[in-house]
Amino acid sequence: MLFWHGRLQLIDHGAALTFHHHWPGAAASVARPYDAAQHALVDCHPDVRAADAALGPRVTAELLAGVLAQVPDDWLEGPSLDDAPDEVRARYVDQLLARLAARDAWLPPLLATAAAGGSRRRRTVGENRPSWLGPPPPEGITQR
């Protein structure tokens, strides 16, 4: 998610599962803290501890396997192009369960950031615009 022109936008979730872009480094990402200071919802003062308590136990191997079973085979790519889709699905399950099990390493900084409300500052229009979008529209023009 990202705030863009004062509105919350949903974006590509490939950025959320960064390990699948470089499988050899997946194990190293298990305990890596997430910097939530710029997260779109941090200013909403989320109750991360309550969310973890309520949702963490619901994330099981069975749940993840069921979700991954719905992903088309053509969308799955493992560390090797020879990996069978079910092998890749199993890697996702293992990686996500390992991340969940390592939350003692990454959850405390996230809790601290959420409690502090992050460090986002209000930016001037266009300041956070990705360069690939080109220059911002002229003043007074609304982009959709």
Side-chain angles (χ1 to χ4, degrees), residues 7-100:
R7 294 180 52 207
L8 187 62
Q9 306 290 323
L10 297 177
I11 60 172
D12 177 9
H13 282 41
L17 301 175
T18 57
F19 64 87
H20 75 179
H21 296 294
H22 183 69
W23 281 105
S29 70
V30 166
R32 184 178 303 133
Y34 172 72
D35 179 10
Q38 299 297 317
H39 193 281
L41 297 179
V42 76
D43 285 341
C44 299
H45 301 283
D47 189 347
V48 176
R49 188 177 310 279
D52 176 61
L55 301 175
R58 297 178 70 179
V59 179
T60 64
E62 294 77 23
L63 172 78
L64 294 172
V67 169
L68 285 157
Q70 297 178 53
V71 176
D73 290 355
D74 291 347
W75 291 10
L76 298 167
E77 184 177 310
S80 167
L81 294 178
D82 297 330
D83 290 337
D86 286 339
E87 292 173 356
V88 179
R89 286 183 179 92
R91 284 182 181 269
Y92 273 95
V93 170
D94 292 345
Q95 179 72 18
L96 294 169
L97 289 176
R99 178 76 172 163
L100 182 65

Side-chain angles (χ1 to χ4, degrees), residues 1 55 127:
M1 291 180 278
L55 301 175
E127 181 182 348

Side-chain angles (χ1 to χ4, degrees), residues 129 131 133-137 143:
R129 184 180 182 83
S131 61
L133 282 178
Q143 205 174 21

Side-chain angles (χ1 to χ4, degrees), residues 97-120:
L97 289 176
R99 178 76 172 163
L100 182 65
R103 67 184 184 259
D104 286 346
W106 56 261
L107 188 59
L110 184 60
L111 292 170
T113 300
S119 62
R120 290 187 41 200

